[in-house]
Amino acid sequence: MKVTRPGSTTPSMGGGDGRYPSNPYGIFAYGKDAGQRRAPAQHTVDIDTGNLPDPEDVPPFHTPDIANVLGIPDNQVTPAVEQAIGRLMVRINGLTESLSDLKKRQVQLARSEGRDPFTGALSRPAFMQILENEIALVGADRTTRTVLICELANLEDILQRYGQECKDGLFNYVRRIMADFIMSPHHLGYLGCNDFVALMYNVDSDDVWQRVDAIARWLDQHPYSHNDKWIKVVPVFGMYQAKSGDTPASVLNSADSALRAQKEMRLAQLDRIPQGI
């Protein structure tokens, strides 16, 4: 079989050869047939398609095909069987979609598993696992590891005055402020009650206290807003640099002891301030 294909009737837009204008829209300037009048003579090309196989129509997808896959003989594929298989396929599609949604949910849970839902910081179990892994490496490398504990000293007064409803927002606010000054690769966690904790790498005491001073000044200058009332937070900090032989418990206890000393010193300073000033 031979197929005759007509030559192209579209003129080439070669500018500068005198036959067509350089503007591609110029052939339409003199009417519809302006390009046709200037088209070259038509020619034919013979293409031999004798060796090409004839096109085959792809058979549509039928329920009996599924029956063949399931091993059901063709003579047993009745309308009732077709309906049953159709309902089965709908059910399978639904289960597949549910499985996909479940996998997405598992990924989301895995990402948020180590976060405390109350504050948004690392949860106590997640932070303690990180701390345990890092303390085991103290002395084996040149990395220093410092633990910083922060306690909201006036939390009880805040709860008595404003109630429990402001606690969630207050803790989340404090966590966000601390996270601005204790960034990755350092870790910020929540130990529970009114204590935050941070694990910091390769920082000296001056660096840590500069961050502490910045956090305290920010919280003092930007109180937390609750029901159109400004709530000032009084944070107290304690720091300890881990040494070889320490355990997670000893590191936290040492940092907490430093915090108690700072708190007592602060209370002593407040007691020396004359009343009414």
Side-chain angles (χ1 to χ4, degrees), residues 2 48 82 84 118 132 168 174 202-203 273:
K2 290 189 177 182
D48 190 358
E82 290 187 8
F118 183 55
E132 181 179 356
D168 293 359
V174 173
N202 293 331
V203 292
I273 298 177

Side-chain angles (χ1 to χ4, degrees), residues 226-240:
H226 175 71
N227 291 339
D228 297 329
K229 296 179 180 180
W230 298 104
I231 303 175
K232 280 201 172 186
V233 181
V234 180
V236 182
F237 297 88
M239 177 192 69
Y240 177 76

Side-chain angles (χ1 to χ4, degrees), residues 77-97:
V77 181
T78 63
V81 172
E82 290 187 8
Q83 293 178 3
I85 293 177
R87 289 193 297 268
L88 176 62
M89 295 305 299
V90 171
R91 180 60 175 167
I92 291 175
N93 290 336
L95 292 175
T96 302
E97 294 177 358

